[in-house]
């Protein structure tokens, strides 16, 4: 596989009232095309900052962030972003929520994208709800709508910022399976930020472990688990050992800071 996303010696500083903070230090990692990578690390180490840099919402202080060999741009249209909350507008129907990006950006192929939106809603069992308001949907269905809204704009890379954190545990397991299946079916590349090690292992081809701030890449764990879904991958006999390995990387860091 070839690298779709590359971080080369990326540094990020930000200014507070009292000092300049070095948040990310010489960050190096890659994410291959059509793969799923997760980023884990101690609280406050800069995981969401990394997603903001990839999306072009923040500007790096130094280094290179490349997508398909080209530098990330401000508010880069090649990036799709799923946040912690689904951010569906309650006064708009499901259809109106799904085509929101089309309305805002007014692309030349708007009609084609709307047809694609209908195809996705049919494919993932949401078409019967296009006239409903978000409050009529379950938490899992809302997340599928949010993902489809992102996919309609045909991004090259999907960023997921703890998109399951607001769900109860059972729903979370089901939605992980749903989101994973959609991303794989649509042949997308994804980067997930999560505090949940089990979630990271079950969904990923690669887990990137960060140190405490200033964050560096402390460990990269490649994965090749048995199972077609995140839930079934949790039953792989190596799952427990992988969890222990990544947990120790994180807790050792905490003990020394």
């Amino acid at each position: 596989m070839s690298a779709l996303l590359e971080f080369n010696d990326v540094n990020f500083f930000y200014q507070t009232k009292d000092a300049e903070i070095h948040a990310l230090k010489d960050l190096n990692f890659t994410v291959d095309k059509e793969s799923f990578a997760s980023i884990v690390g101690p609280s406050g180490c800069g995981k969401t900052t990394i997603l903001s840099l990839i999306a072009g919402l923040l500007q790096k202080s130094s280094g290179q962030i490349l997508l398909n060999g080209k530098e990330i741009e401000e508010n880069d249209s090649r990036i799709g972003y799923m946040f912690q909350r689904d951010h569906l507008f309650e006064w708009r129907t499901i259809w109106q929520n799904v085509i929101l990006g089309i309305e805002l950006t007014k692309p030349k192929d708007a009609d084609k994208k709307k047809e694609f939106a209908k195809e996705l809603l049919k494919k993932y069992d949401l078409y019967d709800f296009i006239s409903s308001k978000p409050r009529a949907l379950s938490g899992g269905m809302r997340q599928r709508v949010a993902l489809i809204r992102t996919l309609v704009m045909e991004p090259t890379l999907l960023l997921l910022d703890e998109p399951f954190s607001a769900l109860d545990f059972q729903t979370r397991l089901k939605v992980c399976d749903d989101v994973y299946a959609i991303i794989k079916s649509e042949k997308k590349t994804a980067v997930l930020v999560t505090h949940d090690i089990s979630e990271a292992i079950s969904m990923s081809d690669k887990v990137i472990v960060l140190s405490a701030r200033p964050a560096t890449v402390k460990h990269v764990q490649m994965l090749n688990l048995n199972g077609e879904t995140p839930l079934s991958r949790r039953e792989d006999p190596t799952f427990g050992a992988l969890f222990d390995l990544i947990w120790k990387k994180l807790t050792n860091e905490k003990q020394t800071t």
Side-chain angles (χ1 to χ4, degrees):
M1 284 190 181
S2 58
L4 178 77
L5 176 70
E6 298 175 66
F7 265 59
N8 299 320
D9 295 323
V10 172
N11 285 270
F12 180 71
F13 298 85
Y14 65 91
Q15 195 72 37
T16 68
K17 183 179 177 181
D18 302 314
E20 184 176 67
I21 306 298
H22 195 177
L24 307 176
K25 182 180 180 182
D26 299 332
L27 214 58
N28 289 281
F29 66 84
T30 62
V31 178
D32 289 338
K33 187 177 181 180
E34 294 184 22
S35 72
F36 200 121
S38 289
I39 299 174
V40 299
S43 294
C45 73
K47 296 184 291 295
T48 297
T49 298
I50 291 171
L51 294 191
S52 295
L53 289 171
I54 297 170
L57 301 175
L58 293 174
Q59 297 301 308
K60 66 191 181 309
S61 300
S62 64
Q64 274 188 323
I65 304 175
L66 303 177
L67 185 65
N68 261 340
K70 295 182 179 179
E71 279 276 5
I72 296 286
E73 300 171 356
E74 186 175 353
N75 296 317
D76 201 308
S77 62
R78 297 174 294 169
I79 310 295
Y81 206 132
M82 274 189 72
F83 296 92
Q84 291 180 357
R85 303 283 176 174
D86 56 57
H87 292 297
L88 300 181
F89 293 109
E90 297 295 339
W91 62 90
R92 293 174 68 99
T93 65
I94 298 308
W95 175 249
Q96 290 168 336
N97 271 284
V98 165
I99 64 169
L100 181 61
I102 300 172
E103 289 180 0
L104 292 174
T105 60
K106 296 179 173 59
K108 292 180 180 179
D109 61 346
D111 290 340
K112 181 181 175 183
K113 280 183 165 54
K114 286 180 181 179
E115 286 302 313
F116 182 45
K118 288 179 183 178
E119 290 173 18
L120 289 173
L121 287 165
K122 289 174 182 176
K123 187 175 181 179
Y124 299 113
D125 301 322
L126 288 163
Y127 192 76
D128 290 344
F129 299 91
I130 60 172
S131 298
S132 301
K133 298 292 177 63
R135 61 179 172 272
L137 274 57
S138 68
M141 292 169 75
R142 291 175 66 111
Q143 285 291 26
R144 292 200 332 256
V145 170
L147 178 56
I148 288 170
R149 179 180 60 190
T150 304
L151 290 173
V152 161
M153 302 309 294
E154 300 180 89
T156 302
L157 176 67
L158 281 173
L159 306 179
L160 299 95
D161 189 0
E162 299 199 64
F164 317 117
S165 60
L167 304 172
D168 65 78
F169 182 69
Q170 286 186 324
T171 303
R172 187 169 180 154
L173 291 176
K174 175 67 168 64
V175 176
C176 280
D177 276 8
D178 290 345
V179 168
Y180 179 87
I182 293 171
I183 289 172
K184 289 298 182 183
S185 176
E186 300 303 319
K187 299 187 184 328
K188 292 298 179 182
T189 309
V191 177
L192 169 72
V193 156
T194 180
H195 284 93
D196 188 326
I197 297 172
S198 293
E199 187 173 274
I201 296 170
S202 68
M203 295 189 79
S204 304
D205 303 299
K206 174 192 289 187
V207 177
I208 299 161
V209 183
L210 301 180
S211 69
R213 194 174 67 195
T216 61
V217 175
K218 187 176 184 184
H219 180 72
V220 175
Q221 183 63 50
M222 302 302 296
L223 302 169
N224 187 24
L225 295 165
N226 293 316
E228 295 298 317
T229 67
L231 187 58
S232 63
R233 283 160 62 100
R234 288 171 182 257
E235 299 179 11
D236 185 286
T238 65
F239 190 92
L242 288 166
F243 182 98
D244 288 344
L245 173 64
I246 293 171
W247 172 254
K248 285 175 182 176
K249 296 292 183 184
L250 291 174
T251 53
N252 286 345
E253 182 61 38
K254 290 176 183 176
Q255 290 168 359
T256 60
T257 58

